[in-house]
Structure formats: structure tokens, C-alpha cells
Amino acid sequence: MSFIPVNEPLLDGNEKKYLCQCIDTGWISSEGPFVKEFEQKMSAIVNRKYGIAVSSGTAALEVAVQALGIGVGDEVIMPTFTIISCAMAVTKVGAVPVLVDSDIHTWNMNIGEIESKITSKTKAIMIVHIYGLPVEANKVLELAKEYNLKVIEDAAEMHGQTCNGDPCGSFGDISTFSFYSNKHITTGEGGMVVTDNEELAERCRLLRNLCFRKDIRYIHDEISDNYRLTNLQAAVGLAQLERLEEFIKKKRQMGRYYTERLKDVKGLILPIERMKYSDNIYWVYGIVLDKEIKADNKAVQSFLAQEEIGARTFFWCMHEQPVYRKKGLFGNKSYPNAEYLARKGFYIPSGLALTEMQMDKVIDKLVKMMDIIE
Ligand SMILES: *Cc1c(COP(=O)(O)O)cnc(C)c1O
């Protein structure tokens, strides 16, 4: 059996057909009809009025932050355990990320810490759902209301997931998605901002497209960027969306399969299957090494690589990023849970194209590894 990649997407629906339509009609840029259709379908799925397709999940976060008017000196509360896109969107506009530690069990931001981080400069809270279980968004929304703060929801990993019965992507002022190739729904590269606020949606459309003024073209009152998604990408996205339910079902089956077969392996902490507010969607199947194991996730990654299995270490914390360290952004504060996850957490192959035979091999090698590892 050959190398098992950490993620392989499934593209065997209408992707090819819709792509051919783009080529046949000549609509390949962002002006094509699939873009609007993709925006409508995706926003409807998450109960939002407006969807604004952009070029990546990172672009979606940048557009969201800018649309909310977050700027120099403002503070945005977010987890330290996340992808740098979240922090970058904030530091790019001169605002300051204010970090919270992780919940060691769910790997999401510890909601209980948020209130103590609120200051007179706090403008927003950024919720980031990590790996499979959502942040209990309702609780954050209550807090935000009490302190009159905006909420940005990064739902990049949560297409099709719910929290207390409502879709991820429906919480707060504005939510963002990524359609990178390892996400449940992919367009290769791509993203979307969704909101119920017409004014915000209009701001996002402007920001996506160089802030061309609506009345006269080539006149600009503001600086932004070209964040447009192409019709080709939207064509793939539409075909993918048709299969969202099937994909989610498959992800959950895969997650349960891994758990069933790994649950008695000593030294491995497996993802939680169910919280009161949500069932795990296993965007990736994450595993954390128990305290008694001395090895770290890099050792795991190299062991599995030798066995021809792709694995990835967990996110590296924002407060430990060299680029932010250099700027002295987060001082010497420590966030012990997040630091532990960053060193001891890894994820194993969990893409939609993964077969049961491949999963069996991954399981075998993990078991073998735990026999050897110190
Ligand atoms: C993937 C991801 C992003 C970034 O999306 P890109 O499309 O790769 O720019 C942002 N936030 C989270 C939580 C992600 O998982």
C-alpha cells in the first residue's frame, strides 16, 4: 500500500460537469453566475441572509475584521490555539489580539476566561471552532451582548456542524468559512463571509473588490485588496455543497471508526464524541499524547511518515509565534493548555477520500508506535 495522505478531497460529483460549463460559456472570472449561486446556497444552509464569496478563509477573516471597522488600538479576544489567519486579520489593521487559553478537553477557547480579558478597548470576540467540536457560541453571544461587543465566528472547519441546534456560521455579527482543499467543502482555495446585516454585507462586497466606488469606477475612498473568488472555484463549490450531508455523515462515521478501534490504546487521548450542545464532526481526527508519554508530536509525525502515513502536528500557539514574539506582542504570558496541545497533539489521515483499508493501516501503525514510544 502506498503513502496515505493526511487529506485527500472527494471530487467525484458534479464538479467536472460544472467546470466544463464555465469553460464552454467562457465565464471563468468572478463575474460568472456560479459565484452568486454558491453565495446563495451556502448562506441559506447556515441561515444567513447574505454570502460574500472570497478567495480564501484568510481573506474572509480580513474582510470581516475590516467590515466591522476594527482598527488601530482596538482589542479582539481570540484563542491562542488557532491558525495565524485569525491573528493576522487583526494585526494587519493595527488592532491587538487578546488571547485566551484552550479548554484541554474540547481544544476550543476556554469561554470562562473571556470575561476577564474584556477592557475598554475590546471591540470584538473572535470565536474559532477547532477541529470538530464547536465553541458553545450561545454563551459567547450572551457575554458579547452584555458588554456590547461584536462577534466574529470563524467557521472554517465547521461546514454542516451545529451548536445547540443552530448551524455553525449563523452566530454573531459575521461568520467566515474556508474552502481550502482540506475543508469539508472545497473549492481548492476559497472562502466566504456570511452575515444577516445588509450594511455589513455591502461593506464586504466593497472590500472584496478593491473598494471600487459604486457610483464611479476607478475612484477609491479606501484601500483593500482583490479577494475575489472565480466562477471556476464556485462551480466546484456548488457541486461539493450538493453532497454536504453525505460528507458530514461520512466524516462522523470515520471518526467513530477510529475511536472504536483506538479507544483501548494506552497513552492516546482521543477526541470527545459528543457534548451536550454538539456531536463531533471530526474535521480532522485529532489525538493528544497523554502526560506520561515523553515523546512529542514531532516524533509521532516522523514515525508515521516512515510508515508512509501523513500526519500533522496541531496548531502552534499565537503567543509563541516568532513574528509576534519579535514585536513583543504577548509579553511572557503563558497559556499552559494551548502549549500542551501544540506540543502533544497531532491529527491522522481524515480526508473524505480515505478508505476503510487505509484507516486500518493507520490504526495498526499507531498501535505499533505506542508499543515502542517512550
Ligand atoms: C483553514 C482555516 C482558515 C484559513 O483558511 P484558508 O482558506 O486556508 O485561508 C482559517 N481559520 C481556520 C480555523 C481554519 O481551519
Side-chain angles (χ1 to χ4, degrees):
M1 215 178 342
S2 55
F3 187 80
I4 303 175
V6 73
N7 178 74
E8 194 181 331
L10 208 53
L11 299 163
D12 54 358
N14 283 323
E15 288 82 357
K16 212 182 257 176
K17 182 176 148 198
Y18 297 163
L19 275 172
C20 287
Q21 285 178 31
C22 297
I23 310 272
D24 291 341
T25 59
W27 284 112
I28 56 170
S29 78
S30 60
E31 292 290 314
F34 284 137
V35 177
K36 283 200 184 66
E37 207 180 324
F38 185 43
E39 289 174 336
Q40 276 157 11
K41 285 241 168 85
M42 184 68 210
S43 53
I45 284 172
V46 296
N47 296 344
R48 290 288 203 179
K49 284 196 190 134
Y50 308 100
I52 301 92
V54 293
S55 50
S56 69
T58 304
L61 285 163
E62 291 184 5
V63 165
V65 164
Q66 289 171 51
L68 286 172
I70 292 166
V72 176
D74 293 333
E75 293 178 354
V76 178
I77 297 172
M78 67 171 68
T80 186
F81 184 70
T82 184
I83 190 166
I84 200 162
S85 312
C86 302
M88 257 173 36
V90 169
T91 53
K92 251 188 149 170
V93 297
V96 181
V98 172
L99 306 176
V100 300
D101 201 0
S102 310
D103 178 301
I104 197 69
H105 305 292
T106 64
W107 312 335
N108 279 316
M109 67 202 290
N110 179 358
I111 294 178
E113 261 183 39
I114 296 177
E115 193 165 11
S116 68
K117 308 274 170 157
I118 297 174
T119 72
S120 57
K121 291 184 190 156
T122 310
K123 189 93 187 247
I125 302 170
M126 189 184 281
I127 297 173
V128 190
H129 309 296
I130 307 277
Y131 296 159
L133 285 171
V135 175
E136 197 172 5
N138 317 66
K139 289 200 173 147
V140 181
L141 294 187
E142 277 168 32
L143 203 60
K145 197 167 166 197
E146 192 183 329
Y147 287 91
N148 196 23
L149 303 174
K150 303 286 184 198
V151 172
I152 303 166
E153 180 196 16
D154 181 353
E157 305 173 359
M158 294 292 133
H159 323 72
Q161 178 59 298
T162 60
C163 181
N164 284 317
D166 290 314
C168 290
S170 70
F171 299 108
D173 297 274
I174 199 161
S175 307
T176 63
F177 284 97
S178 163
F179 306 116
Y180 181 61
S181 62
N182 67 359
K183 308 291 154 100
H184 298 144
I185 295 297
T186 182
T187 60
E189 301 281 354
M192 198 176 293
V193 179
V194 294
T195 180
D196 289 321
N197 182 317
E198 191 178 351
E199 218 173 297
L200 268 182
E202 195 51 42
R203 287 277 307 146
C204 291
R205 282 187 208 106
L206 268 180
L207 288 160
R208 158 175 75 179
N209 190 21
L210 300 170
C211 287
F212 276 110
R213 241 168 69 177
K214 279 192 93 177
D215 50 347
I216 349 170
R217 207 170 165 85
Y218 302 115
I219 305 292
H220 307 263
D221 296 323
E222 285 177 88
I223 298 283
S224 70
D225 216 319
N226 172 357
Y227 293 119
R228 301 185 300 255
L229 186 87
T230 68
N231 204 47
L232 294 162
Q233 292 168 311
V236 174
L238 265 179
Q240 290 266 298
L241 268 191
E242 291 168 357
R243 303 175 68 188
L244 180 60
E245 265 178 48
E246 173 199 339
F247 284 176
I248 296 314
K249 213 170 136 202
K250 175 147 195 218
K251 280 279 187 178
R252 289 205 165 112
Q253 272 168 2
M254 286 164 48
R256 284 195 292 263
Y257 191 85
Y258 271 140
T259 297
E260 188 52 40
R261 281 157 185 80
L262 291 170
K263 66 177 193 287
D264 298 324
V265 181
K266 272 182 100 173
L268 298 181
I269 303 169
L270 305 180
I272 295 171
E273 193 169 330
R274 174 166 298 126
M275 298 296 283
K276 259 191 291 196
Y277 49 86
S278 188
D279 288 354
N280 204 322
I281 204 169
Y282 306 101
W283 168 59
V284 293
Y285 193 89
I287 298 176
V288 179
L289 296 169
D290 204 287
K291 282 208 170 69
E292 69 235 24
I293 308 285
K294 282 197 212 82
D296 65 5
N297 51 12
K298 288 199 206 80
V300 170
Q301 195 177 19
S302 11
F303 177 90
L304 291 176
Q306 273 168 23
E307 300 286 354
E308 298 201 85
I309 291 169
R312 290 273 164 82
T313 56
F314 273 10
F315 293 130
W316 194 245
C317 302
M318 290 308 106
H319 68 281
E320 297 193 280
Q321 293 295 338
V323 61
Y324 290 141
R325 274 261 160 90
K326 250 189 310 199
K327 294 184 176 162
L329 202 54
F330 304 120
N332 284 324
K333 266 180 243 155
S334 77
Y335 302 82
N337 291 346
E339 286 163 25
Y340 188 84
L341 295 174
R343 285 159 179 80
K344 299 286 192 167
F346 60 97
Y347 58 90
I348 54 179
S350 0
L352 282 159
L354 198 68
T355 65
E356 207 165 283
M357 233 165 73
Q358 289 176 315
M359 292 174 77
D360 288 338
K361 179 180 163 185
V362 174
I363 291 157
D364 278 353
K365 299 301 177 191
L366 271 175
V367 170
K368 180 178 155 196
M369 178 183 82
M370 294 312 287
D371 276 342
I372 306 169
I373 214 165
E374 300 265 301

